[in-house]
Every structure is written in C-alpha cells, then in structure tokens.
Amino acid sequence: MDKLIIVGGAVLNGDIRISGAKNSALPILAATLLTGEKMRISNLPHLHDITTMIELLGCMGVESSIDEKMTVEIDNSNISSYCAPYDLVKTMRASVLVLGPLLARFGAAEVSFPGGCAIGSRPVDQHLRGLEMMGAEVDISGGYIKAKTNGRLKGAHIIMDIVTVGGTENLLMAAALADGETIIENAAREPEVTDLANCLVAMGSEITGIGSDRLVIQGKEELHGCEYRIMPDRIETGTYLVAAAATRGRIKLRDTDAKLLESVLQKLEECGATIEISENTIELDMKGKKPLAVTIKTAPYPAFPTDMQAQFTALNSVAEGTSMVTETVFENRLIQTHELNRMGAKITLEGNTAMVTGVERLKGAPVMASDLRASASLVIAGLVAEGETVIDRIYHIDRGYECIEEKLQQLGGSIRRVPS
Ligand code: UD1
C-alpha cells in the first residue's frame, strides 16, 4: 500500500487543471446501459472508481475502449449478464447505480447489496422503494438485491422520504425507459444529478424540472447513443481552493465552473480569500493572510456539501478563531478529527458537531486515511504542518483525486508517494 509523505510549510502558488467529476461520471457510465447504441463519454477523470465502473460494465458484456485523453467509447449492444457481483460492489458503492438502468432496459437486475462504510450506514431503501412504486418486484437474498419486472417499469409519482443523490439518480435512469410519466419529488438537486439528467436528454429523454427538486420524466421506449462531456469536479475544485487558502497562497484553477460551488466560495470569502471567477476559471488569493475560522453546516445542495466538510475542518484547525462544523448528512463523517488532533489540532466533538479552535501551527505526524474526503483533509493538514506527515491508506484518495501529488507539486507543495 502506498503512502504519501508531505513536508509542510510551502505556500501554494500556481495554476492547475480540474478533472471531470467522478460523481457524475459514475452515474453517466451506468446510464449508458439504457441504450444499445454507441456512447462516447469524454472528460472522465483518471481514477480507480472509474476503472471499476468500466470493469463492472465489462462483466455484463459491455465493450469499451478508452483513449489517452480519457474519452471512452461504449458499445452496449451485447449485454449478456444483468449482475453486479459482490467483489466489485464491495469496492465501490456507486455500483448500485446499475440497478435502475438494467431493470428498465432488460426487466431484471441482480446487484450485490452495498454495505456501509467508514462514513456511515448508507442504506439504499429509497432506491428500492421508488423502483417498487414503478412496478418492480424486489427481493433481497444471499446478499443480493434481486429485482425484476413484468414488462416495462411503469411511471409513478414518487415523493422521496429524504434527499438522496444516488436514489434520485437510480430512479431518474429507471424512469427514462418506463411506460408513461414519472414525477420524482424531493429530488436531490446536486449538480451531478443535473449532469446525469442532461446526458439522458442528449440520449433522447424528455425531462423537465432539471436542477429543481421536482423532476418530471416522460418515459421513452428507447433511448439513443450520444456524445457527452462530463462536467468539472466541484469537490476537487473546492479541495484545491481550501488547500491554497490554508497555506495562505494563491491558486488559479482551469476547466472548472464557479456556479457549481457557490456555497463553498462564499465560505472561502468569509475566510478572507479574494476570489475572481471567469467562465471556466476560479482564482483564489489569500494575499499571505491567515484564514479566519468559518462555521459550516452540511446539507443537500445548494447548501454546503458534505464532501467539503473534512477539508474545511482542516482549514479551521489553523484559522484565526473558533468555529463549529456540523455534519447532517452522514453520521460518522467527523472521524478524521481524531487524526487532525494527533497533528496538534484542537477539535472536540459534541454529537454531530466539531468545535474547532484554530492553532498557530499543526505538527507533522504519521496519520491514517479513513475515507476519501477525510484523506483530503489530512493532505491539507500535512501541507500546513511543521515537519513531515506520512499518510497511510491513500488508496482512498486515489478513488477521488486524479494525480493529487503531481498537481500539488505543480503548486509548490512538497509531497511524494512511496510504496510501503
Ligand atoms: C453521493 C456521493 C457522495 C456524497 C453524497 C451526498 C456519489 C458516487 N457519491 O452519495 O460523494 O457524499 O452523495 O452528497 O455520487 N440515504 C438513505 N436511504 C437511501 C439513500 C440514502 O437513508 O436509500 C441516506 C444516506 O444514509 C445519507 C443521505 O441519505 O445519510 C444522503 O445519501 P446519498 O445522497 O444517497 O449519498 P450517495 O448517493 O450514496
């Protein structure tokens, strides 16, 4: 298992390119199952989860080829299996996103039941409830979700009990080939849901309310192939902005979109950053100032994203003042605060809130990554800490950040990867 070694103290300064969004690439790759025609998806990020999703499609009989720019051509005309096996699902929960498309196109799907993970229990009851409302029979046995339908799925009026990104995506894809109209209320409004909806429209779907919490889908008998470019990764964007802010530096991000992360940019301005945006760039400059502590509370989009909470907790731990970080989406997502405390942070937990008192300096230490975004927070902490930080279990980080050490080196960070 590789480790990252970071020597803190450098002030980040420079320009980098932002990759395509992992969390929209995954559902869009699953959505290719909805058509037998060829699909061409570009701007995929070069990440382990993407390879896993392509491998998962491959074991169903999907043929694909990827070029060096991470454009994938997909041919779904010869699907021979409707099963997402345990071995792949256990490494990537997003595999459950093949459930809706398989069921809608082939009337059958078997997907290993995704377990919980370090950040929480992560049930899929809302995915299953919606599919049942559309006429699917769902049975759980042998650790698998076995779903089938007699003929096509039927349009339904679904009011989601809670806002779920994956649940909305699975039902949106299922509805695209259902018979009649489906209305999804209390839908997730995350930009990744919008990106998926836009891709479905490019495949011939009729969807209104895109970007709102009420999606209305007129099901089609068939969808066609298309070319689609994945949107920029708003969480990668936010992570580099926070890293630059924590080191009191300056950064310019290219190929991104400020409209995807307004709540995050507002918090960075509250922190004392000067932000300039253009159509596809974001520039942040701390002008050498120490960041000010900011209070945040995670909630579904457009509120502050749970996937940016850990990074802001790291930032707050070296900021001026005290702050409260409240996590409302995943029950166990403040877990990285213990590792930050091992680096000298002053964080106490009260239920789902972290009380963070900014310290002058963190101190490098050996730490362990527990999940994707928690790992990003440890990288940020390592960049601002005095001395050397060694981060173990960095496979988590490789699931969500393309070439993280190259990008940080380009910005002047001292970071390298070593095999354990
Ligand atoms: C997606 C993102 C993840 C992000 C999360 C919230 C992908 C691949 N992952 O995850 O990075 O952190 O959105 O923005 O896109 N829940 C239920 N029942 C369900 C489904 C969810 O109770 O059927 C709960 C979850 O336990 C959690 C909350 O709803 O508390 C939100 O989860 P959800 O939005 O579904 O997250 P994911 O789609 O798994």
Side-chain angles (χ1 to χ4, degrees):
M1 252 186 281
D2 293 356
K3 293 180 179 178
L4 283 178
I5 300 186
I6 303 176
V7 180
V11 174
L12 296 188
N13 188 351
D15 297 17
I16 51 167
R17 178 187 176 267
I18 291 301
S19 306
K22 167 179 92 80
N23 286 351
S24 50
L26 294 173
I28 286 172
L29 286 170
T32 65
L33 288 167
L34 290 165
T35 177
E37 291 185 19
K38 291 211 169 74
M39 294 282 294
R40 196 179 146 86
I41 312 291
S42 60
N43 202 31
L44 287 175
H46 200 320
L47 296 173
H48 201 252
D49 274 10
I50 300 297
T51 326
T52 307
M53 183 56 96
I54 292 174
E55 195 184 330
L56 174 61
L57 296 177
C59 73
M60 294 168 186
V62 174
E63 285 171 30
S64 60
S65 62
I66 304 190
D67 69 16
E68 72 288 353
K69 286 186 155 170
M70 289 302 283
T71 296
V72 66
E73 295 214 24
I74 291 187
D75 180 350
N76 282 334
S77 54
N78 285 312
I79 306 264
S80 50
S81 152
Y82 311 140
C83 178
Y86 174 68
D87 280 349
L88 290 175
V89 179
K90 75 170 189 228
T91 63
M92 187 186 63
R93 302 188 74 268
S95 313
V96 75
L97 293 168
V98 300
L99 185 61
L102 283 176
L103 192 57
R105 180 156 160 232
F106 303 105
E110 272 192 30
V111 176
S112 173
F113 204 102
C117 66
I119 64 174
S121 59
R122 308 191 78 172
V124 289
D125 57 299
Q126 295 299 307
H127 306 226
L128 305 185
R129 171 176 170 269
L131 292 172
E132 282 175 335
M133 289 173 81
M134 296 170 82
E137 274 177 48
V138 180
D139 180 41
I140 295 170
S141 63
Y144 276 76
I145 303 165
K146 298 181 180 171
K148 60 179 188 211
T149 160
N150 197 0
R152 286 172 67 192
L153 288 170
K154 301 205 170 26
H157 184 187
I158 304 164
I159 304 172
M160 308 293 284
D161 292 335
I162 50 158
V163 178
T164 145
V165 175
T168 304
E169 290 168 343
N170 235 336
L171 299 178
L172 183 58
M173 292 187 278
L177 287 184
D179 189 14
E181 180 178 87
T182 298
I183 302 176
I184 307 176
E185 306 223 38
N186 199 24
R189 288 185 281 165
E190 268 66 3
E192 292 77 13
V193 176
T194 296
D195 210 27
L196 170 65
N198 288 336
C199 177
L200 293 173
V201 168
M203 295 169 76
S205 290
E206 209 181 311
I207 306 173
T208 55
I210 294 176
S212 79
D213 61 0
R214 186 174 192 272
L215 296 167
V216 181
I217 306 106
Q218 310 299 333
K220 299 283 174 193
E221 270 185 45
E222 283 186 348
L223 295 181
H224 54 72
C226 74
E227 287 197 18
Y228 195 78
R229 186 178 165 82
I230 304 288
M231 71 173 196
D233 196 311
R234 65 189 169 111
I235 306 302
E236 190 196 23
T237 303
T239 301
Y240 284 107
L241 291 173
V242 172
T247 64
R248 310 181 190 186
R250 185 210 68 89
I251 194 172
K252 182 172 185 180
L253 303 175
R254 285 178 278 110
D255 293 347
T256 186
D257 181 355
K259 290 191 288 301
L260 301 172
L261 68 164
E262 284 179 15
S263 62
V264 170
L265 296 180
Q266 281 183 13
K267 288 293 167 185
L268 285 165
E269 281 179 331
E270 257 179 72
C271 245
T274 304
I275 294 178
E276 276 181 36
I277 54 181
S278 78
E279 202 189 329
N280 54 9
T281 65
I282 305 177
E283 215 174 325
L284 172 145
D285 195 347
M286 286 303 287
K287 304 196 166 137
K289 285 180 302 193
K290 184 175 185 178
L292 305 173
V294 286
T295 284
I296 59 170
K297 183 174 181 181
T298 67
Y301 191 84
F304 189 90
T306 172
D307 281 353
M308 283 301 305
Q309 174 267 108
Q311 300 87 319
F312 268 81
T313 306
L315 176 68
N316 277 335
S317 65
V318 290
E320 187 64 45
T322 57
S323 56
M324 277 195 317
V325 175
T326 306
E327 172 60 57
T328 75
V329 180
F330 291 109
E331 66 264 26
N332 209 14
R333 217 177 191 178
L334 290 168
I335 193 163
Q336 86 288 349
T337 54
H338 303 300
E339 294 299 284
L340 292 175
N341 282 344
R342 295 187 57 250
M343 296 175 71
K346 275 199 186 150
I347 306 174
T348 52
L349 292 183
E350 274 173 39
N352 64 346
T353 297
M355 311 291 293
V356 189
T357 304
V359 296
E360 207 41 49
R361 272 320 298 249
L362 294 176
K363 302 249 164 58
V367 288
M368 196 118 76
S370 56
D371 77 70
L372 170 55
R373 307 305 170 186
S375 323
S377 78
L378 296 177
V379 170
I380 294 168
L383 287 168
V384 293
E386 205 174 287
E388 187 176 273
T389 296
V390 180
I391 308 182
D392 202 353
R393 297 203 182 159
I394 58 161
Y395 51 85
H396 290 294
I397 223 172
D398 293 331
R399 292 187 41 219
Y401 294 91
E402 181 176 87
C403 309
I404 188 162
E405 65 270 28
E406 279 93 331
K407 288 186 180 181
L408 286 171
Q409 282 160 4
Q410 211 172 314
L411 296 167
S414 168
I415 174 168
R416 67 198 159 91
R417 179 183 294 252
V418 290
S420 308

